[in-house]
């Protein structure tokens, strides 16, 4: 019932908040009709000299800026280069010609158009930045001229002194001259914008033509687009036209690569820095590991990577081109893949070489042969025959390798991987067979696509495998070096960090290979369009619009925010703050506050990335605020209490505390609650508000010292001075008992049956104080027994007033000891029905020894190690 009441309160508060905000929005949405802007106020006569000087200086500044800056001189050549690039492609490649080019050439043209569009967008941004002051200066000049004109139009203009009137005319003339001078760059800006708009339209037209050509080529994959191979020689060959078109395309591709390199994007600069830093690092690691490689103490994979630093650098550089420059010209990426061929074969792990046998060499040779196919593009028949020959060669090589490895025995650990690779090889052979048949019967587009995709995907997978192996090997070597062990983060978190990086790299490589394969098999565009359509589906509720893509982006952003917050907290807590001389608990508070700050910042970024606008969030947070006032007071109280705990720091993780009958060790302090690990092993969640409102005992707030007290009762007749000296010597000799403050033995009093002594000692080892106390009591008992000092046990006097005759006779006959006779007499006296002669006896009951007792201490066992 209490939970339902809180929920109803919260919902009621949110409803009131939404109603209030809706009313406020209605009031804002329907403001009273705005009155027309008031005319500029005339300048007062007393202010004319000062205003005249200010406006004159402003006009002179505008004239100086106009004389110095010329947007056409700085931005005109760049726009001319962009327009020239667009015109060349439009002139050389007509829409009909685009449909006859190989798909890779058309895709490269598409990248070129995208590159031109990006260059134009950057140029437009530069234009806006260079001419941003034009509009502001023009508006300011107009405002100031209107103010001076208001003086001349006012009724008091006739009464102005001649000197002031001349001053007004001079200032107005100066402002007019500045405005006229500013009109020249404004007109140039307008002309540049018009030229840029024309170039933008040409770029859009060229990009549409290329996109249509790609769609047409994809549509021809399932159609017969050429005569059968046996009739191909009868058709007229336009070798000269094709060769000229190829030369033109190659020239444009070279210019594209040159312009792309001259653009100097951020990714290109990052790649160059990575390449410059990577080579010295690899050479240094190779020199440091030379002795280990010669001694054979390093793994074969690591020895192969560090023993070939130039191959490693070349492979990682080419992978950097593919990863950091996804929009680079296809010619650049193909050259990078070709340059990586030799490093890939040299850097494969020895275990992979033994398992893959000749597969890497065959796949690499087929890829290089497929890249040389452009030499036959000048003749359609020769190009088609070369494609048939390459397909047949690849099919024969795969079947030969499958037959070669059929009887090969693999270890149990790699048997499953070998079976998967064999299945992939049989699938590739089937696709090559389909390509061969399609080429023979006239479906050249499908044949080219299948052959190129099968060979390209196999080689690209080999490159990724070698690259990931090299990166993982380098990470393991760097994170396990002796210098890293100096850091606590490296000692404790290096192995799981390496495993996490291995999984991330493997997943990234798998995703990259899948995207590459989908692109080569011509299904990436269709898949991308379908996914985009699904993710762009928008659900609108009032003013809040949510799409599936925004939801997905929100969850990804939240995951990244949690990961970043945890990483920052870990680094601050284990490495940065521990090396700084900070007061107690400050490090934990800073790390925790940084964690929640990054988390809140990441949540805000996630909401912004998900498409939430500020006005929408205002409505939600406003309703939430009213709901908090009604139903979430406890949550807010605990949240604020958590902040107070982090700033005041009365407790910190590792402290031993007692709160509301719960004793244990603080594990972590959250924003809402604190987790305490009891000495029995249970986790107790204590709200932060309780820690501030209730009485809290912190045993280890300032230090980890603990006083141990043991109470001992000795028998009557014991010399107190001798007992104090003996107990003090034993306490001082007990391991774990500190000498400062020294142990103290006190004679506490004379009890009913004992002489009471108290042994008080201190220990700095709080985690073992129970063990130390037990050892102290054991030593005290042994010392008292060896010294012959009797430990008292309870005694009681029993007074008998009457004893029956039968009982007295029995006692006399038995001759029992006094103590036994008294006990039997007491039993008889309690059951006798008649009184007998009064007699009195006094005796002492049987002694029951008692162990030394300790004063009250918390009964918990030793706390678990921190």
């Amino acid at each position: 019932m209490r939970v339902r009441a809180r929920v109803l309160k919260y919902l009621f508060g949110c409803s009131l908040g939404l109603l209030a905000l809706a009313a406020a929005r209605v009031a804002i949405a329907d403001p009273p009709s705005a009155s027309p802007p008031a005319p500029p106020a005339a300048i007062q006569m007393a202010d004319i000299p000062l205003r005249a000087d200010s406006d004159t200086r402003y006009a002179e500044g505008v004239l100086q800026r106009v004389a110095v800056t010329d947007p056409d001189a700085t931005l005109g050549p760049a726009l001319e280069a962009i327009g020239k690039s667009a015109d060349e492609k439009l002139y050389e490649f007509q829409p009909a010609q685009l449909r006859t080019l190989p798909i890779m050439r058309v895709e490269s043209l598409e990248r070129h158009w995208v590159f031109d569009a990006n260059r134009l967008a950057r140029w437009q941004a530069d234009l806006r930045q260079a001419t941003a002051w034009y509009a502001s200066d023009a508006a300011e000049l107009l405002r100031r001229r209107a103010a001076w004109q208001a003086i001349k139009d006012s009724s008091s203009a006739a009464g102005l002194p001649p000197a002031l009137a001349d001053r007004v005319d001079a200032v107005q003339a100066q402002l007019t001259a500045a405005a006229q001078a500013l009109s020249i760059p404004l007109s140039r800006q307008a002309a540049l914008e018009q030229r840029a708009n024309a170039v933008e339209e040409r770029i859009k037209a060229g990009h549409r033509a290329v996109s249509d050509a790609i769609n047409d080529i994809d549509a021809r994959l399932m159609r017969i687009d050429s005569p059968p191979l046996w009739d191909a020689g009868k058709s007229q060959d336009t070798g000269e036209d094709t060769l000229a078109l190829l030369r033109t395309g190659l020239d444009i591709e070279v210019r594209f690569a040159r312009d792309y390199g001259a653009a100097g994007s951020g990714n290109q600069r990052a790649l160059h820095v990575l390449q410059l830093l990577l080579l010295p690092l690899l050479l240094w690691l190779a020199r440091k590991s030379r002795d280990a490689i010669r001694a054979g103490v390093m793994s074969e994979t690591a020895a192969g990577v560090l023993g070939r630093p130039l191959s490693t650098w070349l492979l990682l550089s080419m992978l950097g081109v593919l990863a950091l420059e996804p929009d680079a010209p296809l010619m650049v990426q193909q050259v990078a893949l070709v340059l990586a061929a030799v490093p890939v074969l040299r850097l494969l792990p020895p275990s992979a070489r033994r398992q893959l046998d000749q597969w890497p060499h065959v796949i690499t040779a087929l890829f290089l042969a497929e890249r040389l196919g452009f030499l036959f593009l000048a003749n359609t028949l020769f190009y088609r025959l070369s494609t048939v020959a390459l397909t047949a060669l690849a099919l024969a090589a795969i079947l030969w390798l499958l037959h070669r490895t059929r009887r090969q025995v693999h270890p149990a650990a790699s048997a499953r991987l070998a079976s998967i690779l064999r299945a992939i090889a049989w699938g590739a052979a089937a696709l090559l067979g389909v390509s061969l048949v399609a080429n023979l019967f006239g479906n050249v587009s499908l044949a080219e696509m299948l052959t190129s995709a099968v060979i390209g995907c196999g080689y690209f997978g080999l490159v990724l495998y070698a690259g990931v192996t090299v990166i993982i090997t380098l990470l393991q070597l760097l994170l396990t070096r002796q210098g890293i062990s100096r850091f606590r983060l490296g000692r404790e978190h290096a192995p799981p960090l390496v495993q996490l990086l291995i999984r991330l790299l493997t997943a990234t490589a798998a995703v990259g290979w899948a995207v590459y394969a989908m692109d080569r098999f011509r299904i990436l565009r269709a898949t991308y369009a379908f996914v985009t359509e699904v993710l762009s589906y928008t659900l609108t509720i009032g003013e809040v619009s949510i799409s599936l893509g925004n939801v997905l982006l929100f969850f990804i952003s939240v995951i990244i925010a949690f990961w970043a917050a945890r990483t920052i907290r870990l680094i601050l807590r284990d490495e940065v703050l521990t090396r700084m001389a900070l007061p107690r608990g400050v490090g934990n508070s800073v790390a925790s506050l940084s964690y929640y700050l990054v988390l809140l910042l990441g949540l805000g970024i996630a909401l912004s990335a998900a498409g939430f606008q500020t006005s929408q969030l205002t409505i939600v947070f406003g309703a939430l605020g009213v709901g908090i006032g009604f139903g979430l007071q406890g949550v807010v109280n605990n949240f604020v209490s958590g902040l107070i705990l982090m700033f005041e720091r009365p407790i910190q993780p590792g402290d031993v505390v007692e709160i509301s009958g719960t004793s244990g060790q603080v594990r972590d302090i959250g924003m809402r609650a604190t987790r305490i690990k009891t000495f029995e092993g249970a986790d107790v969640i204590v709200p932060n508000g309780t820690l501030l409102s209730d009485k809290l005992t912190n045993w280890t707030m300032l230090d980890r010292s603990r006083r141990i007290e043991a109470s001992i009762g000795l028998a009557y007749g014991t010399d107190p001075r001798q007992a104090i000296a003996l107990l003090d010597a034993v306490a001082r000799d007990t391991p774990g008992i500190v000498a400062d403050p020294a142990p103290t033995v006190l004679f506490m009093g004379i009890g009913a049956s004992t002489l009471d002594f108290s042994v008080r000692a201190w220990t700095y080892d709080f985690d073992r104080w129970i063990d130390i106390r037990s050892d102290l009591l054991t030593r005290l008992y042994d010392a008292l027994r060896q010294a012959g000092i009797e430990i008292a046990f309870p005694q009681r006097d029993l007074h008998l007033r009457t004893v029956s005759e039968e009982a007295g006779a029995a006692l006399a006959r038995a001759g029992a000891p006094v103590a036994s006779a008294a006990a039997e007499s007491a039993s008889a006296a309690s059951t006798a029905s008649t009184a007998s002669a009064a007699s009195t006896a006094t005796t002492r009951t049987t002694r029951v020894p008692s162990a030394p007792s300790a004063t009250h201490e918390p009964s918990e066992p030793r706390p678990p190690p921190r």
Side-chain angles (χ1 to χ4, degrees):
M1 293 298 293
R2 184 177 301 174
V3 174
R4 290 184 60 188
R6 290 183 177 179
V7 171
L8 290 176
K9 286 182 179 181
Y10 176 68
L11 293 177
F12 178 69
C14 290
S15 302
L16 287 180
L18 287 173
L19 290 175
L21 287 171
R25 290 180 64 86
V26 169
I28 294 174
D30 298 328
S33 58
S35 58
I43 302 175
Q44 300 297 323
M45 185 180 301
D47 298 335
I48 288 178
L50 183 61
R51 286 289 301 273
D53 293 338
S54 175
D55 290 358
T56 300
R57 287 194 300 269
Y58 184 79
E60 291 176 353
V62 171
L63 291 173
Q64 291 177 357
R65 287 194 293 271
V66 169
V68 172
T69 59
D70 185 3
D72 195 6
T74 57
L75 299 175
L79 181 61
E80 187 68 24
I82 299 173
K84 181 180 178 181
S85 176
D87 292 338
E88 288 176 350
K89 293 191 292 292
L90 287 175
Y91 176 75
E92 298 293 344
F93 298 99
Q94 300 298 323
Q97 293 176 329
L98 291 174
R99 289 168 171 79
T100 62
L101 294 177
I103 184 62
M104 293 188 65
R105 286 290 302 114
V106 182
E107 288 183 337
S108 183
L109 278 175
E110 184 184 29
R111 293 191 176 197
H112 202 167
W113 285 116
V114 172
F115 174 71
D116 286 343
N118 292 334
R119 279 202 301 173
L120 182 61
R122 289 194 296 269
W123 183 90
Q124 291 172 339
D126 294 339
L127 177 64
R128 287 192 295 269
Q129 182 179 2
T131 61
W133 59 275
Y134 290 174
S136 61
D137 279 356
E140 183 65 17
L141 288 173
L142 180 61
R143 186 185 67 83
R144 297 189 183 215
R145 288 173 59 193
W148 290 104
Q149 186 64 34
I151 295 178
K152 300 181 66 175
D153 295 340
S154 63
S155 57
S156 60
L160 284 176
L164 292 181
D166 294 341
R167 186 62 168 162
V168 170
D169 293 337
V171 172
Q172 195 171 13
Q174 188 77 3
L175 293 174
T176 302
Q180 292 175 353
L182 187 59
S183 63
I184 298 176
L186 281 174
S187 62
R188 292 175 181 173
Q189 177 188 0
L192 284 175
E193 290 177 348
Q194 291 178 357
R195 291 166 55 189
N197 292 335
V199 173
E200 184 177 6
E201 291 301 322
R202 294 199 295 272
I203 291 175
K204 290 180 178 179
H207 191 268
R208 283 195 301 267
V210 171
S211 298
D212 294 340
I214 293 176
N215 294 331
D216 182 74
I217 294 174
D218 290 341
R220 293 203 314 261
L221 291 177
M222 305 308 295
R223 296 201 308 260
I224 301 296
D225 54 359
S226 299
L229 186 60
W230 51 84
D231 294 335
K234 300 177 183 180
S235 60
Q236 295 294 328
D237 189 17
T238 57
E240 296 181 359
D241 296 340
T242 305
L243 184 59
L245 191 62
L246 289 175
R247 289 175 179 173
T248 303
L250 183 60
D251 292 340
I252 292 179
E253 193 75 13
V254 171
R255 286 198 297 270
F256 178 25
R258 185 175 61 249
D259 294 340
Y260 183 83
S265 62
N267 289 349
Q268 289 179 286
R269 290 192 293 269
L271 176 61
H272 296 159
V273 171
L274 178 64
Q275 292 172 342
L276 291 176
L277 296 178
L278 190 60
L279 183 58
L281 175 63
L282 291 174
L283 294 175
W284 175 74
L285 287 175
R287 189 175 64 85
K288 288 290 185 181
S289 306
R290 189 179 305 165
D291 296 336
I293 294 174
R294 292 175 179 174
V297 298
M298 187 174 290
S299 65
E300 293 181 340
T301 303
V305 171
L306 296 181
R308 303 179 177 92
L310 294 180
S311 297
T312 302
W313 175 80
L314 183 58
L315 176 60
L316 294 181
S317 298
M318 297 305 102
L319 284 177
V321 171
L322 299 176
L324 297 178
E325 298 184 2
D327 298 329
L330 283 179
M331 184 180 69
V332 174
Q333 295 185 348
Q334 294 303 315
V335 170
L337 288 174
V338 171
L339 292 177
V342 175
V344 165
L345 295 178
R346 298 190 68 192
L347 295 174
L348 283 176
S351 59
R353 289 201 198 116
R354 292 188 292 268
Q355 184 175 355
L356 296 177
D357 195 28
Q358 296 298 322
W359 282 99
H361 297 84
V362 171
I363 293 174
T364 303
L366 290 174
F367 175 77
L368 295 178
E370 194 262 339
R371 290 300 93 197
L372 294 176
F374 75 94
L375 297 175
F376 302 97
L377 285 174
N379 190 291
T380 305
L381 179 59
F382 287 169
Y383 178 70
R384 188 171 175 183
L385 290 175
S386 67
T387 304
V388 171
L390 179 64
T391 305
L393 179 63
L395 180 59
I398 291 177
L399 293 177
W400 173 69
L401 288 173
L402 285 172
H403 177 73
R404 176 186 174 91
T405 59
R406 181 179 58 181
R407 297 182 180 179
Q408 186 176 358
V409 179
H410 298 280
S414 60
R416 183 178 179 184
L417 179 60
S419 62
I420 294 175
L421 293 177
R422 287 182 60 86
I424 294 175
W426 279 112
L431 292 176
L432 289 175
V434 173
S435 172
L436 187 60
V437 173
N439 204 335
L440 291 175
F441 284 93
N443 194 344
V444 180
S445 299
L446 180 62
E448 290 177 354
M449 184 270 292
L450 290 177
T451 301
S452 177
V454 169
I455 296 175
C457 290
Y459 178 74
F460 189 68
L462 193 65
V463 172
L464 288 179
Y465 176 70
V468 170
T469 302
V470 169
I471 295 174
I472 290 175
T473 303
L474 293 177
L475 287 175
Q476 290 175 339
L477 291 174
L478 290 175
L479 293 178
T480 56
R481 290 190 61 82
Q482 186 176 2
I484 302 297
S485 61
R486 295 179 302 172
F487 302 97
R488 178 182 175 185
L489 193 64
R491 292 193 305 270
E492 298 181 359
H493 302 283
L497 180 60
V498 170
Q499 295 300 321
L500 176 62
L501 292 176
I502 290 175
R503 289 194 294 268
L504 288 177
L505 286 173
T506 305
T508 303
V511 172
W513 183 87
V515 172
Y516 181 84
M518 292 172 65
D519 183 49
R520 297 305 299 268
F521 281 101
R522 311 305 308 154
I523 60 175
L524 180 61
R525 284 178 173 270
T527 305
Y528 180 79
F530 174 75
V531 172
T532 302
E533 184 178 359
V534 171
L535 294 180
S536 61
Y537 177 77
T538 304
L539 178 64
T540 303
I541 303 177
E543 294 187 1
V544 179
S545 299
I546 302 176
S547 65
L548 295 180
N550 291 339
V551 174
L552 180 62
L553 188 60
F554 172 78
F555 282 110
I556 294 176
S557 302
V558 169
I559 292 174
I560 294 175
F562 269 101
W563 179 83
R566 292 178 60 184
T567 303
I568 291 175
R569 180 176 62 179
L570 184 65
I571 294 175
L572 289 176
R573 185 177 58 193
D574 292 350
E575 291 298 336
V576 178
L577 298 176
T578 55
R579 302 175 184 274
M580 302 172 63
L582 298 175
R584 174 189 177 274
V586 172
N588 177 72
S589 299
V590 171
S592 299
L593 291 175
S594 301
Y595 170 79
Y596 289 108
L597 181 62
V598 173
L599 198 60
L600 290 176
L601 181 61
L603 182 61
I605 295 175
L607 290 173
S608 178
F612 285 94
Q613 299 178 359
T614 306
S615 59
Q616 298 170 349
L617 296 178
T618 302
I619 296 175
V620 175
F621 290 146
L624 184 64
V626 178
I628 286 174
F630 281 86
L632 299 179
Q633 300 97 329
V635 175
V636 176
N637 179 29
N638 292 326
F639 178 79
V640 176
S641 300
L643 294 177
I644 296 175
L645 288 175
M646 290 183 182
F647 282 105
E648 291 189 354
R649 306 183 304 278
I651 60 174
Q652 64 174 342
D655 287 352
V656 179
V657 298
E658 293 182 14
I659 180 71
S660 301
T662 301
S663 300
Q665 192 176 46
V666 178
R667 288 302 189 188
D668 55 70
I669 304 173
M671 294 301 294
R672 190 197 66 84
T674 298
R675 184 168 64 93
I676 298 177
K677 187 80 170 182
T678 65
F679 300 115
E680 290 78 16
D683 287 316
V684 179
I685 308 301
V686 181
N688 292 331
T690 303
L691 294 175
L692 290 181
S693 60
D694 290 0
K695 180 181 178 181
L696 174 67
T697 301
N698 191 341
W699 289 89
T700 57
M701 181 174 180
L702 301 178
D703 52 44
R704 302 194 65 81
S705 59
R706 175 71 184 253
R707 195 186 76 171
I708 300 174
E709 183 173 356
S711 297
I712 299 177
L714 302 179
Y716 284 104
T718 302
D719 185 2
R721 296 177 179 81
Q722 178 188 0
I724 289 174
L726 177 64
L727 296 178
D728 182 76
V730 171
R732 292 178 182 272
D733 294 338
T734 302
I737 300 298
V738 299
D740 185 21
T744 303
V745 181
L746 302 175
F747 186 11
M748 303 301 293
I750 302 175
S753 305
T754 61
L755 300 179
D756 297 330
F757 295 87
S758 176
V759 181
R760 299 176 181 178
W762 286 86
T763 179
Y764 294 153
D765 192 356
F766 182 88
D767 295 334
R768 293 185 59 254
W769 75 272
I770 293 181
D771 296 339
I772 297 172
R773 176 168 165 264
S774 175
D775 186 26
L776 174 63
L777 291 174
T778 303
R779 291 171 176 267
L780 292 175
Y781 180 79
D782 293 341
L784 292 172
R785 186 179 59 181
Q786 292 175 4
I789 298 177
E790 183 180 7
I791 299 177
F793 30 80
Q795 300 180 9
R796 184 174 298 163
D797 292 338
L798 181 63
H799 300 271
L800 300 179
R801 293 186 178 277
T802 58
V803 178
S804 64
E805 295 179 358
E806 294 82 359
L811 290 174
R813 289 193 300 270
V818 178
S820 177
E824 292 180 2
S825 299
S827 176
S830 63
T831 57
S833 57
T834 57
S836 60
S839 64
T840 304
T842 302
T843 185
R844 189 174 280 180
T845 61
T846 305
R847 292 181 176 180
V848 181
S850 63
S853 59
T855 58
H856 174 68
E857 297 284 357
S859 61
E860 68 272 10
R862 181 184 58 177
R866 300 182 63 186

